[in-house]
């Protein structure tokens, strides 16, 4: 089954404790992206990647890191999480001219 | 800077009614436009994708149109059903490998 898999689904952590949210797709998509969704602010793009080893900043990249060492994986790294990074995070992927497929989301709470 | 807006923010209709959701974007130089559905606490499901060279796309009871020159897209839902209740978002892609910018969404409630 074609899918984008994010883990974990829920995560509670404390300020400053490094964490990684994983994202994997099985559709051989070149394009992958991370978004955060906040009430009243909608979906905002954090980082995106056009292919292996090629990444670029979205609209809200501060406090986040990404890497694309393999085509199927695009992890999101929070080196020192802060409470303002509490949010619902989504990973998505696609071929360049096709539909964007989303993962089920990761609800992150930073205390 | 590309901005995407959606009107109305919320809509409540009786079952069976036809309805139109609107999406506007400020820069007509888009690569494609996509409509999504999001159920509470869930991920986004793609409904329709319209390429910049196309005028409309249809899937079942859904029809999406695109007018690049005026910076508008509409999503038409025919014979609405309670199961259509969800938030509908539109998103524009600037180039094939570029940012995807989302509108704030329209929350739809279909009353039985």
């Amino acid at each position: 089954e074609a899918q984008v898999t994010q883990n974990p689904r829920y995560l509670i952590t404390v300020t400053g404790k490094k964490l990684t949210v994983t994202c994997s797709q099985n559709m051989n998509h070149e394009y992958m992206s991370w978004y955060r969704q906040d009430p009243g602010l909608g979906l905002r793009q954090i980082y995106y990647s056009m292919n292996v080893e090629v990444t670029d900043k979205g609209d809200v990249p501060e406090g986040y890191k990404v890497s694309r060492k393999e085509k199927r994986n695009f992890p999101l790294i929070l080196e020192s999480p802060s409470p303002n990074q509490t949010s619902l995070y989504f990973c998505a992927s696609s071929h360049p001219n096709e539909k964007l497929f989303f993962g089920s989301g990761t609800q992150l709470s930073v205390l | 800077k590309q901005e995407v807006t959606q009107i109305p923010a919320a809509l409540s209709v009786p079952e069976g009614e036809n309805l139109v959701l609107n999406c506007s974007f400020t820069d007509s130089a888009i690569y494609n436009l996509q409509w999504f559905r999001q159920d509470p606490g869930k991920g986004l499901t793609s409904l329709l994708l319209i390429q910049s060279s196309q005028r409309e796309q249809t899937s079942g009871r859904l029809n999406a149109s695109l007018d690049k020159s005026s910076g508008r897209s509409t999503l038409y839902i025919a014979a609405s059903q309670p199961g259509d209740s969800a938030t509908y978002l539109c998103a524009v892609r600037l180039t094939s490998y570029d940012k995807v910018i989302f509108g704030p969404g329209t929350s739809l409630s279909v009353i039985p």
Side-chain angles (χ1 to χ4, degrees), chain B residues 47-106:
Chain B
L47 298 173
L48 291 164
L49 172 71
I50 311 177
Q51 304 297 346
S52 62
S53 58
Q54 297 176 322
R55 294 300 299 267
E56 65 178 322
Q57 282 286 328
T58 298
S59 176
R61 294 182 294 109
L62 305 179
N63 176 275
S65 67
L66 175 63
D67 184 344
K68 275 180 50 179
S69 62
S70 66
R72 293 183 192 173
S73 176
T74 61
L75 178 67
Y76 175 82
I77 302 177
S80 58
Q81 304 170 356
D84 294 331
S85 298
T87 296
Y88 290 80
L89 299 102
C90 67
V92 298
R93 190 168 216 161
L94 305 185
T95 69
S96 61
Y97 282 111
D98 208 334
K99 294 180 183 180
V100 176
I101 300 173
F102 281 81
T106 293

Side-chain angles (χ1 to χ4, degrees), chain A residues 9 31 37 59 94 97 100, chain B residues 31 34 38 41 51 93 98:
Chain A
R9 182 73 177 88
Y31 182 92
Q37 187 174 36
D59 292 322
S94 77
N97 200 25
L100 201 56
Chain B
Y31 191 71
Q34 198 165 351
Q38 185 176 27
Q51 304 297 346
R93 190 168 216 161
D98 208 334

